[in-house]
Amino acid sequence: MDLQTRKLELIQEFLKIQSEDVILRLEKVLRKENEESEKQDFKPMTIEEFNSRSAQSTQDSKNGRLIEASELKDKIDKWN
């Protein structure tokens, strides 16, 4: 059985649950798993990477390659 099919079956079973306690426990398990996954995916940048990004950001700013936060927010609002 492929992953997509398993997800759909899990959703169908989840929708049948009537107990709020069971749903709360499942939510806790999912939250914990997501937190663990995020920790494993996190890889801090090296000092060299940090310095390179900082220098690039400074150059971008000097050369006018930036966007105001309000302008970015307006663009994001238009995505919907």
Side-chain angles (χ1 to χ4, degrees), residues 29-44:
V29 168
L30 284 173
R31 250 186 255 112
K32 184 176 179 183
E33 287 299 317
N34 285 337
E35 288 172 5
E36 289 299 317
S37 178
E38 288 174 6
K39 286 179 187 175
Q40 291 174 359
D41 293 341
F42 178 74
K43 179 183 169 201

Side-chain angles (χ1 to χ4, degrees), residues 34-63:
N34 285 337
E35 288 172 5
E36 289 299 317
S37 178
E38 288 174 6
K39 286 179 187 175
Q40 291 174 359
D41 293 341
F42 178 74
K43 179 183 169 201
M45 69 176 80
T46 65
I47 294 296
E48 291 81 15
E49 288 172 316
F50 174 80
N51 289 335
S52 175
R53 287 184 181 202
S54 178
Q56 183 64 52
S57 295
T58 301
Q59 282 300 99
D60 287 344
S61 179
K62 287 179 182 177
N63 294 319

Side-chain angles (χ1 to χ4, degrees), residues 55-79:
Q56 183 64 52
S57 295
T58 301
Q59 282 300 99
D60 287 344
S61 179
K62 287 179 182 177
N63 294 319
R65 292 187 303 259
L66 48 85
I67 185 170
E68 295 292 328
S70 58
E71 190 179 339
L72 178 59
K73 184 183 178 308
D74 290 341
K75 286 185 177 190
I76 292 171
D77 288 342
K78 291 177 184 174
W79 291 352

Side-chain angles (χ1 to χ4, degrees), residues 3-4 9 12 15-16 18 20-21 24 26 40 43 51-52 60 71 73 77-78:
L3 183 58
Q4 191 66 23
E9 287 185 3
Q12 290 172 344
L15 292 173
K16 293 177 187 176
Q18 297 298 316
E20 186 170 347
D21 184 55
L24 286 172
L26 288 170
Q40 291 174 359
K43 179 183 169 201
N51 289 335
S52 175
D60 287 344
E71 190 179 339
K73 184 183 178 308
D77 288 342
K78 291 177 184 174

